[in-house]
Amino acid sequence: MNDGSLYKSKRTAKSLWQQYRIYRDRLELQSWILFHTVVVPANEIQAVEVRPSVFRGQKGFIWGLKIDNCSLCRHVLLIKKSGLFKRIGFSPDEPEKFVEICKSIVADR
C-alpha cells in the first residue's frame, strides 16, 4: 500500500479481477464493465453496508449498478448522495473490513 491507499482489495474471481481502493478522501472502484475507474469522493457517500448474497433468503434485490458478481456472494452496497447511479454493488475480498474503513473516512468529513 505504498500508493497512499488505506485499503486495497485483492483481485478475485467474485470481483471479476477488479480492484477496489479506499483513500482518505475518496473511493476508487475499478470497473471492466464501465471501462474505467469510478471515483467517489468521501463527501458523496451517503451510506455503505455489507449485504448478503441474494441466495441466502434475503428479500429484495439491490437495484442499481453492479460492477461484478456481487449478487452471488457477500458484497458491499454503496449509496451515493447524487449522480446517475446512486446505488453501486461490488465485492471486495473483505467486505466487513472495506465497510469499516469506508465509514471511518466518511466520519472524518
Side-chain angles (χ1 to χ4, degrees):
M1 287 195 229
N2 296 334
D3 60 359
S5 61
L6 301 174
Y7 177 87
K8 187 185 302 185
S9 68
K10 294 177 186 168
R11 298 173 190 270
T12 63
K14 70 179 183 178
S15 69
L16 301 178
W17 294 274
Q18 300 174 140
Q19 191 174 65
Y20 311 116
R21 296 176 294 275
I22 302 175
Y23 295 90
R24 294 196 183 281
D25 61 342
R26 69 190 183 282
L27 302 180
E28 290 185 358
L29 311 173
Q30 180 186 11
S31 174
W32 302 121
I33 295 169
L34 299 175
F35 300 112
H36 75 285
T37 300
V38 176
V39 178
V40 180
N43 62 356
E44 274 294 310
I45 299 171
Q46 181 174 337
V48 61
E49 63 185 52
V50 177
R51 299 287 297 249
S53 160
V54 295
F55 300 113
R56 294 283 181 190
Q58 177 75 8
K59 287 187 178 181
F61 186 71
I62 68 160
W63 295 103
L65 180 63
K66 297 174 188 170
I67 57 177
D68 60 24
N69 292 321
C70 66
S71 294
L72 306 176
C73 57
R74 287 181 60 76
H75 60 277
V76 172
L77 173 62
L78 172 69
I79 303 173
K80 298 178 0 179
K81 293 178 182 174
S82 63
L84 181 60
F85 297 105
K86 291 184 181 178
R87 299 169 63 91
I88 303 173
F90 56 96
S91 305
D93 60 327
E94 298 178 85
E96 290 82 7
K97 185 174 180 181
F98 189 95
V99 167
E100 178 185 331
I101 295 171
C102 190
K103 285 182 178 180
S104 74
I105 69 164
V106 171
D108 291 344
R109 299 282 156 221

